[in-house]
Amino acid sequence: MPLQRFAVLVAALWWGGLTALSFLAVPLLFATLGSPAVAGPVAAKIFSLQCWSGLFLGMALLLIMRRWRGEGASIAPAALTTIGFVLFAMLLALVQEFGVAQNIITARASGGNLRLWHGVGTAMVLGQWLCAGAVLWRLTAARTQPA
């Protein structure tokens, strides 16, 4: 039971962090600082921090779920789905950090399609948020095995 509670705490930190940073802090930066040239680099640092914290928290969840089910125990289909959500969110974070963020920087410097890359980045963050929310939702369901 303590591992289940710890998994819920980690999932809540992940989803809450994504929510606070992506939907509150970054829009507030652009509204407060006024200039996208000033707010953009700060937002980029926030999204990078969010990527690395998501990877860390996702890895922590995977390790907790592994210990939770025990060595040699079979993995329930519901647990595989939850693991899939964790892995997909982590993949989105990596692509966002090493693919999309670099394309945003290049587009800004070269006059490329900045709107397109911001849209792709937004979709990646929304995907991470939905996956982390699904993990949290599944972990808080009344079960005796990891979901």
Side-chain angles (χ1 to χ4, degrees):
M1 197 61 132
L3 282 177
Q4 181 180 7
R5 287 181 176 202
F6 191 59
V8 170
L9 176 64
V10 170
L13 285 171
W14 192 6
W15 185 79
L18 281 163
T19 301
L21 294 176
S22 301
F23 303 119
L24 297 173
V26 170
L28 185 62
L29 275 175
F30 283 93
T32 304
L33 297 178
S35 168
V38 175
V42 178
K45 288 185 188 289
I46 288 174
F47 283 124
S48 183
L49 171 69
Q50 177 180 295
C51 165
W52 291 107
S53 65
L55 291 171
F56 174 77
L57 293 169
M59 186 59 69
L61 273 172
L62 293 174
L63 291 172
I64 292 166
M65 290 179 71
R66 182 169 187 255
R67 289 208 53 195
W68 183 359
R69 74 174 173 84
E71 293 295 324
S74 63
I75 300 174
L80 284 176
T81 302
T82 303
I83 290 168
F85 280 122
V86 172
L87 290 173
F88 189 63
M90 292 172 71
L91 176 65
L92 288 173
L94 284 171
V95 171
Q96 176 190 339
E97 179 70 11
F98 295 109
V100 176
Q102 296 306 312
N103 282 315
I104 290 173
I105 291 168
T106 303
R108 183 174 288 130
S110 67
N113 196 343
L114 190 59
R115 185 179 205 153
L116 167 73
W117 289 110
H118 272 121
V120 172
T122 300
M124 296 266 177
V125 170
L126 183 60
Q128 291 172 64
W129 182 76
L130 290 171
C131 286
V135 169
L136 180 59
W137 185 269
R138 296 174 68 78
L139 288 175
T140 56
R143 291 194 180 103
T144 57
Q145 288 191 2

